Amino acid sequence: TLASAVGPSPSLLQALVAYRAKATDPKDAMALDTAIAGAAAIAEKWPELTAATERILKAAPASATAADLRFGAFVASDEWEEAIRFGQAQLVKQPDERALQGGVYQAMGRTGKPEAMEKMIQTLIDRGRAEAVDYNNLAWSQVVRGAVTENTLEVIRMATQNGGNSASVHTLAVVLADLGRTTEARAALLKEMSDQRLDEPGGNEW
């Protein structure tokens, strides 16, 4: 893409911004804004990204790419509450946008709203839209809250049975241990280590 070609070079980003200021044709303006947004994201130039994505979303309110980039700018700037507000408003227009759904509920968890996070994930589950990562995040949130139940075990098993990775197996083991089923917890970890040919747990997933 043009944004990838531009890379993080400030001079090229500035040139795009200058060309955009002179653009009069709507198609040219949209193409330039898309390039600016991508280049600004790579260069971590949040004001330029914000301005470009706001213009894109004004012209094309359902632009998933622009919404994701705008949300990412809020997160990168540690504006978590703004990210949540923006994401929730955007999801009214894009109710099935998965990346934004995941971003919003993770921002909720980051800002001390685990119940709201879990409710949002449960909605995805109820609608048949949940993926392994969603089941894992729901179960882990309940682990962190000290709210593990037999239902938590059912949730994390959905993750491990539907494409989950070592992180899901780790969560499964913790849930089992919290339920007092330590032998099963150990067996789950040992099996995953054997499957991954590991002598000991390693990597960020563990």
Side-chain angles (χ1 to χ4, degrees):
T1 64
L2 179 57
S4 298
V6 169
S9 171
S11 60
L12 288 173
L13 177 57
Q14 290 167 4
L16 286 170
V17 172
Y19 279 124
R20 174 61 180 86
K22 299 175 182 178
T24 56
D25 183 89
K27 291 183 179 179
D28 290 343
M30 177 64 81
L32 284 165
D33 278 332
T34 300
I36 290 168
I42 294 170
E44 298 185 355
K45 299 294 184 180
W46 311 128
E48 288 86 348
L49 186 150
T50 297
T53 52
E54 285 181 348
R55 289 193 296 268
I56 294 170
L57 291 169
K58 183 176 181 180
S63 171
T65 299
D68 290 345
L69 287 171
R70 183 72 186 97
F71 184 87
F74 281 125
V75 170
S77 302
D78 287 327
E79 298 180 59
W80 295 97
E81 295 293 348
E82 286 298 322
I84 292 170
R85 280 192 285 271
F86 170 81
Q88 288 178 322
Q90 199 64 28
L91 284 171
V92 173
K93 307 167 191 173
Q94 303 165 252
D96 296 323
E97 215 288 281
R98 288 294 289 116
L100 198 56
Q101 289 169 336
V104 169
Y105 79 61
Q106 290 186 57
M108 290 173 171
R110 181 67 178 264
T111 52
K113 303 178 180 68
E115 290 88 352
M117 170 184 173
E118 293 173 20
K119 182 178 180 181
M120 189 168 180
I121 299 174
Q122 188 60 54
T123 298
L124 291 176
I125 293 172
D126 293 343
R127 293 177 179 173
R129 301 278 298 169
E131 300 173 1
V133 65
D134 302 311
Y135 288 106
N136 183 66
N137 287 336
L138 175 55
W140 188 251
S141 178
Q142 292 173 354
V143 167
V144 172
R145 287 202 299 118
V148 170
T149 66
E150 288 292 335
N151 183 67
T152 310
L153 181 57
E154 293 180 18
V155 168
I156 192 55
R157 287 200 189 282
M158 288 296 294
T160 59
Q161 294 167 7
N162 290 278
N165 54 19
S166 294
S168 299
V169 176
H170 174 263
T171 302
L172 171 62
V174 174
V175 170
L176 286 166
D178 280 357
L179 293 172
R181 297 161 65 169
T182 53
T183 300
E184 292 177 66
R186 183 173 182 275
L189 289 176
L190 291 176
K191 182 180 184 304
E192 180 66 11
M193 289 170 59
S194 176
D195 291 346
Q196 298 296 326
R197 298 182 179 180
L198 298 174
D199 293 327
E200 60 184 36
N204 292 333
E205 293 180 342
W206 293 89

